[in-house]
Amino acid sequence: MPTKFQRARSEEQRAARRRTILDTAAAMLTEMPVAQVTLNELARRVCLAKSNVLRYFESREAVLLELLAAASRELVDHLDGSLARAVEGAAEAERPDRIADCLAEALAVRPVLCDLISAQAAVLERNVSPQVAVAYKRAALDSATALAGQIAFHLPELGEEDAFRFVGSATMVIGAVWAHAHPSAAMRAAYEADPALAALCVDFAPTLRETLEVLLSGLLARARHSRPA
């Protein structure tokens, strides 16, 4: 059983306390969806009163946004190498689909990140102060800009502005597809009871891949159309 914390006296101790809270919340997300992670349970697992957890993070949502920012940075770091491998030797016409496939594969093996993305706008951004919101949005902007730069490098005909548009749209798509691919128990029962409804039940990775392919194709077609003759 974890040892109960003593009051943090130094910045190093406070940083260690924050790290423990983040690590514990991250472990909880491997056991349960975002919606089931509560501040009470987090406090219990780190052996702190809830009021003491709030000394380090202003809310449950602030903890989860920090985890989302870190997971997004890790994804971008991973894609820095995997995108290069995905497009290696590919003809120009093949590169968009390979990029979409690489992104979908990387996200499919990161269910915690996908769950956090699906909760981001509707839940996690709602119970935070402007200071936490700014810190999170700056981190999100850094990750989006870095990923857009990678995509523009491997798909130069898309251009940097449309690469950034693609990343922003892809983020919204990821959250929506994840939510639809993980329906409630009642929805799953409905699909099982009426096979005619099966078309409404989506599989995350292939649906995401196809949607990203269409999104990239549309942006590329518009970019080609808008180029001077």
Side-chain angles (χ1 to χ4, degrees), residues 2 6-7 15 32 37 55 57 103 110 179 209 211 215 225:
Q6 300 298 315
R7 185 180 178 88
M32 62 190 75
V37 174
R55 292 176 181 271
F57 294 93
L103 289 170
R110 289 169 171 79
R209 181 185 302 111
T211 307
L215 180 56
H225 181 73

Side-chain angles (χ1 to χ4, degrees), residues 133-199:
V134 166
Y136 168 70
K137 285 300 187 182
R138 283 176 176 164
L141 180 60
D142 287 345
S143 291
T145 301
L147 181 53
Q150 293 174 14
I151 292 171
F153 178 79
H154 296 298
L155 205 61
E157 60 270 31
L158 183 63
E160 291 186 1
E161 288 188 8
D162 275 340
F164 190 84
R165 290 188 183 96
F166 170 73
V167 171
S169 298
T171 301
M172 291 186 283
V173 166
I174 292 160
V177 175
W178 182 262
H180 283 282
H182 296 82
S184 67
M187 290 297 104
R188 288 196 300 272
Y191 296 144
E192 293 171 3
D194 187 350
L197 300 177

Side-chain angles (χ1 to χ4, degrees), residues 6-15 17 56:
Q6 300 298 315
R7 185 180 178 88
R9 301 290 182 181
S10 66
E11 285 304 312
E12 291 79 8
Q13 289 174 327
R14 287 184 60 81
R17 209 62 51 83
Y56 301 97

